[in-house]
Amino acid sequence: MLRCMTGQEKASMEEVPAVHPCTDTELLHAAAAVISAYGYGGLTLARLAESARTSRMTLHRRGVTLEGVVIGLSLTAAAELREALYPVLTSTQPADVRLQAALDALYAVADRHLPLL
């Protein structure tokens, strides 16, 4: 059943600040290293700063948030998957060959980003 949002619901949505994904590749590599070492739950700004060889205050001044870093990592993984699958999806090979190639590409990307998953 579809329904329209009330004015109060719209206002509460507007109050939520937008999270900007992190695009700094060095910082994303550092975050991936922290997640590999400590797991997803072990990603903290202190560990991220230590891995990136910077201070927490520098991260704070740059507006880096854990949510933004995780979004950046997720977008990177999605872009890699899209790039890996494009040749398979545009191929004219038989279906069984394309399916195997798509699965191989999916597994390769998933293996590279396994700690995040």
Side-chain angles (χ1 to χ4, degrees), residues 49-63:
E50 181 182 337
S51 180
R53 298 176 191 245
T54 189
S55 70
R56 284 181 24 214
M57 194 61 203
T58 299
L59 296 179
H60 175 71
R61 280 193 299 264
R62 290 174 55 194

Side-chain angles (χ1 to χ4, degrees), residues 24-98:
D24 183 338
T25 55
E26 290 181 23
L27 200 56
L28 292 176
H29 287 305
V34 170
I35 292 173
S36 292
Y38 298 100
Y40 180 77
L43 179 63
T44 64
L45 284 177
R47 285 182 177 151
L48 178 58
E50 181 182 337
S51 180
R53 298 176 191 245
T54 189
S55 70
R56 284 181 24 214
M57 194 61 203
T58 299
L59 296 179
H60 175 71
R61 280 193 299 264
R62 290 174 55 194
V64 174
T65 63
L66 290 180
E67 189 175 3
V69 169
V70 171
I71 290 171
L73 287 170
S74 300
L75 291 174
T76 300
E80 282 186 33
L81 181 60
R82 188 172 40 253
E83 187 177 312
L85 287 177
Y86 183 77
V88 176
L89 295 173
T90 58
S91 171
T92 58
Q93 297 278 337
D96 62 333
V97 174
R98 286 184 288 138

